Amino acid sequence: MIRISRIVPAVVLALALPLATAAVSVASPVAAADTGSSAIGAVLQLPVPTGAFAVGRDTLHLVDESRPDPWVASDRRELMVSMYYPAHPGSGARARYATTEEIRLLLEGQELAGLVPPEVLGATATHSVVDAKPVEGSYPLVVLSPGFTASRYTLTALAEELAARGYVVAAVDHANESFGTEFPGGRMSTCVACERTENEGTLGVLADTRAADVSFLLDRLTAADSAWPHSRLIDRGASAWRAIRSAEPAPRRRWRRTIAFARASTWMAPSIARCSRTGWGTARS
């Protein structure tokens, strides 16, 4: 049986941000007014990135027409991806942390409904700007995949810190494997895979599916007709890129050898200081 971890309520009350990779701070309602937070006396914000760059963010919706979804066989495999990158400072709109419904489903899935208002957590202030002008250059690519049942937004603080330090970061959501991920048109993907946790074979399907997801993502980011307008920022000459292309074609092995994989509940912000720009890091619990 696959265990789905529960967060201790006291931790949620202390951090006011379930599954975050770093503690949040409290900002005044005026300072975070552009995030859409409700004026309840205080709003939450993620830690300010410590790197030299401002951070831009784009959102991609990718569909792999060659693969059915293993959890909903009638659907093609879909991914939601947040792309973070070094950017010029600007006054554009701050990227949204999460929707109220995504947070509500997370709290409900973790049996924490009612402890924290979902609209407050969803309005947490980020430090990335939508469609910001990129700082031209070549940057190593890091792919972040959240833990089972979590969504990519739980890795926002880590992604912003890495981008501010000179990385391109792709944070990916795997359809039907989180408590709640919003797709275009307001369509909500919920954790269909959670319904199969009694089956020991689910873990293998999960690993193989995510390996294929990341391989597909890398192909779509680096193809001549890339799905990302700023794909020129990805440094294809970095050692990490060479590792990607030299890895064996078996999806699971390729995934293990080339991806900086972060479990949202275990990789804390201080670990970023140990990341190397010339290689891949692996988060360990």
Side-chain angles (χ1 to χ4, degrees), residues 8 14 24 38 49 84 87 89-90 101 110 131 138 153 156 165 167 172 178 181 199 205-206 228 279 284:
V8 178
V24 299
S38 58
Y84 298 83
E101 182 64 7
Q110 291 283 349
D131 298 328
S138 294
Y153 64 79
T156 300
R165 288 173 176 253
Y167 291 83
V172 58
S178 69
T181 297
N199 185 346
V205 173
L206 185 70
W228 186 41
R284 300 183 184 277

Side-chain angles (χ1 to χ4, degrees), residues 79-162:
L79 306 175
M80 291 301 298
V81 184
S82 293
M83 299 297 303
Y84 298 83
Y85 55 92
H88 291 281
S91 57
R94 292 285 185 91
R96 181 176 62 185
Y97 179 67
T99 68
T100 297
E101 182 64 7
E102 285 175 321
I103 296 293
R104 186 191 69 79
L105 289 169
L106 174 66
L107 293 174
E108 184 179 274
Q110 291 283 349
E111 299 181 359
L112 297 172
L115 287 179
V116 183
E119 61 272 15
V120 173
L121 293 183
T124 298
T126 70
H127 301 283
S128 46
V129 173
V130 177
D131 298 328
K133 181 180 179 181
V135 175
E136 294 299 331
S138 294
Y139 307 100
L141 172 66
V142 175
V143 176
L144 299 181
S145 178
F148 184 50
T149 74
S151 297
R152 72 190 189 283
Y153 64 79
T154 62
L155 295 168
T156 300
L158 175 59
E160 290 181 341
E161 179 68 23
L162 287 169

Side-chain angles (χ1 to χ4, degrees), residues 143-147 155 170-172 174 210 214 255 259-264:
V143 176
L144 299 181
S145 178
L155 295 168
V172 58
H174 309 269
R210 291 195 170 199
V214 172
W255 177 53
I259 301 307
F261 180 83
R263 274 184 23 200

